[in-house]
Amino acid sequence: MAYQLSAILLFLAAVLFPAPVESAVRQYQFNVVMKNVTKLCATKSIVTVNGKFPGPTLYAREGDAVNVKVTNKVKYNVTIHWHGVRQLRTGWADGPGYITQCPIQTGQSYVYNFTLVGQRGTLLWHAHISWLRATLHGAIVILPKKNVPYPFPKPHKEKLIVLGEWWKSDVETVINQAMQTGLPPNLSDAHTINGRPGPVPNCSLSSGYTLHVKSGKTYLLRIINAALNDDLFFRIANHNLTVVDVDACYTKPFKTDTIFIAPGQTTNALLTADQEPGKYLIAISPFMDTVVPIDNMIDTGSLRYKGLPPFPKTTLTAMPPKNATPVAKTFLNSLRSLNSKQFPSKVPLAIDHSLLFTIGVGVNPCATCVNGTQTVGVINNVTFVMPSTALLQAHYYGIGGVFTDDFPGNPPTTYNYTGNVTTNMQTLNGTRVYRVAYNSTVQVVLQGTSIIAPESHPTHLHGHNFYTVGSGLGNYDPEKDPKSFNLVDPVERNTMSVPTAGWIVIRFQADNPGVWFLHCHLEVHTSWGLKMAFLVDNGEGPTESLPPPPSDLPKC
């Protein structure tokens, strides 16, 4: 009886005088191991975390500290990038190989420590060295703080939808051969939804992902594009989706029947099971509105209402053509920051650094390549050369000879960037960064070029979110185009597509000391050197400065 009374008193005390909500420490163990996997009726060994493809989901709440011990048990050097996590003053945990850390070597471990500050939604983690992220990737789910609701109706359940690419051959062999020969890498053989390529010709064993729903219920779909090289359309037959969040930033809700999502991007969308109970096709297909070859395979799964007989007829859907630029443009133009009192838009208005980056590809001599040349990626005529010492270490310890801080803020020559380009296609090679003071504001015009071929470039900035205040086709006009900028509620995210033969303008505040990668998230372009880095100097005092590296930071 005394025990029961004590328990009742404790319960009443907890109700009447609740303890303050404290942030938790989320701890994970990631073992990087090989795993035999069969897809498309062919078996191969792939690099995984804990034997899973896609890898395990990292769950946390806004404000939580996250500790992930990564142990490398494979023959490849490994790093893990927590894509879209702000990493405020935790640049040592950002993860891009030779930018913020040396890779974790075989048999070694590294603990990534970071705190989720001011973010809630869906992000992803993936390997950030060579092409390992083809299979080494997974979801990051950041829930709101306890007792803080979503700014949209609470869903019945939440479902993860991780989109990817699949090669029958070894992916590391694919990119190594491409780099050695100077030829484009082989295309993937299929796309995947949650690791499944769906039904394909000549393989009766290949099956697709099934999303089970109850009639009348609403579900939050957390959609991630973890593919290496393909922008994708996502559609569910006869069902609309309401977009409420991209890249862990809330948006003004809008309805659409088609999601456009580039590699590295995430989209949260509400799905209501409001159709006649049945089985409906889920499909993803690639987007490419230029002459560059892509994997044309359409991957399919199904949405299935509860209570159906075993083999119901499937309601089909038609996917947009692969060059459906208007569909992609309509989706991107519909994105707006929520800009509410609780989640305001903080677009920088006064700009300290106004930059113009031309991005695309070029051609450099290559004595060992098949045609004597190799295709390279380029920003402002500079092809980035990966260092052998991590940039962040070189910056922190003042190690000379690793990089220079003279990355050009404008292209060395002006020309008709998106016209019939006849300029010299050869580029300069260098490990160069652009240096900015702490808390300075930066505007970057990302201008696509037509050298060899124009192409859409999903561009990712590490360590910061940015606002896309403008976009257009052709060449950016510094006199005319700023007049149409959205400085009120532009979409906030960490990865944004530069349209084919067009431009976007992004703005961000450099409030995070360290070295931060900016690169095309098409892995083939990253491999070719379409990348650079911002160096953000320390501010005043320890709260505005990069702390020392952890003792277990990997060595090169």
Side-chain angles (χ1 to χ4, degrees), residues 20-225:
V21 176
E22 295 182 358
S23 297
V25 177
R26 310 284 178 172
Q27 295 184 321
Y28 289 86
Q29 174 68 55
F30 277 20
N31 292 315
V32 181
V33 295
M34 302 303 295
K35 173 83 171 179
N36 285 337
V37 174
T38 301
K39 296 189 188 300
L40 306 177
C41 288
T43 301
K44 70 171 184 175
S45 187
I46 63 171
V47 184
T48 69
V49 164
N50 300 346
K52 296 181 179 181
F53 171 74
T57 300
L58 192 158
Y59 288 95
R61 289 190 181 275
E62 178 187 351
D64 284 352
V66 179
N67 303 154
V68 187
K69 183 178 181 180
V70 177
T71 301
N72 183 7
K73 299 182 178 182
V74 301
K75 64 180 180 179
Y76 305 106
N77 285 342
V78 168
T79 72
I80 301 293
H81 169 52
W82 316 95
H83 183 113
V85 172
R86 285 290 317 276
Q87 298 290 1
L88 287 166
R89 298 181 58 248
T90 52
W92 303 109
D94 191 40
Y98 299 103
I99 304 299
T100 59
Q101 68 165 98
C102 299
I104 306 167
Q105 299 177 35
T106 304
Q108 301 296 309
S109 298
Y110 179 47
V111 179
Y112 292 89
N113 288 305
F114 54 89
T115 301
L116 299 166
V117 180
Q119 294 182 282
R120 75 295 300 168
T122 307
L123 297 171
L124 69 152
W125 60 263
H126 60 77
H128 211 307
I129 187 168
S130 192
W131 276 28
L132 293 181
R133 74 175 172 96
T135 57
L136 210 57
H137 62 250
I140 303 174
V141 173
I142 310 173
L143 301 170
K145 293 180 179 179
K146 284 186 177 180
N147 304 319
V148 176
Y150 292 124
F152 48 81
K154 184 180 179 181
H156 170 63
K157 282 186 177 179
E158 301 184 5
K159 302 283 187 177
L160 275 172
I161 308 288
V162 182
L163 313 179
E165 282 181 276
W166 186 261
W167 280 259
K168 287 184 180 180
S169 54
D170 178 74
V171 181
E172 288 302 284
T173 301
V174 169
I175 182 57
N176 289 339
Q177 288 179 344
M179 297 303 288
Q180 289 167 8
T181 62
L183 300 175
N186 292 337
L187 301 176
S188 55
D189 297 293
H191 298 104
T192 58
I193 302 175
N194 286 345
R196 294 176 175 269
V200 295
N202 306 318
C203 181
S204 60
L205 299 177
S206 188
S207 61
Y209 166 73
T210 300
L211 173 62
H212 296 276
V213 299
K214 291 182 179 179
S215 186
K217 299 295 186 182
T218 297
Y219 299 80
L220 181 67
L221 304 185
R222 297 178 178 271
I223 307 167
I224 297 169
N225 187 347

Side-chain angles (χ1 to χ4, degrees), residues 463-525:
H464 303 78
N465 283 347
F466 56 73
Y467 293 92
T468 303
V469 299
S471 64
L473 297 178
N475 298 330
Y476 173 75
D477 186 329
E479 298 297 326
K480 180 186 71 174
D481 290 323
K483 296 176 183 177
S484 62
F485 282 180
N486 177 5
L487 301 179
V488 177
D489 62 351
V491 66
E492 179 185 359
R493 57 192 322 172
N494 63 66
T495 306
M496 191 62 173
S497 290
V498 179
T500 301
W503 53 270
I504 64 171
V505 179
I506 65 172
R507 290 186 177 187
F508 65 96
Q509 185 166 10
D511 59 356
N512 199 2
V515 176
W516 304 107
F517 218 11
L518 175 80
H519 61 97
C520 179
H521 217 265
L522 302 180
E523 200 63 44
V524 59
H525 289 171

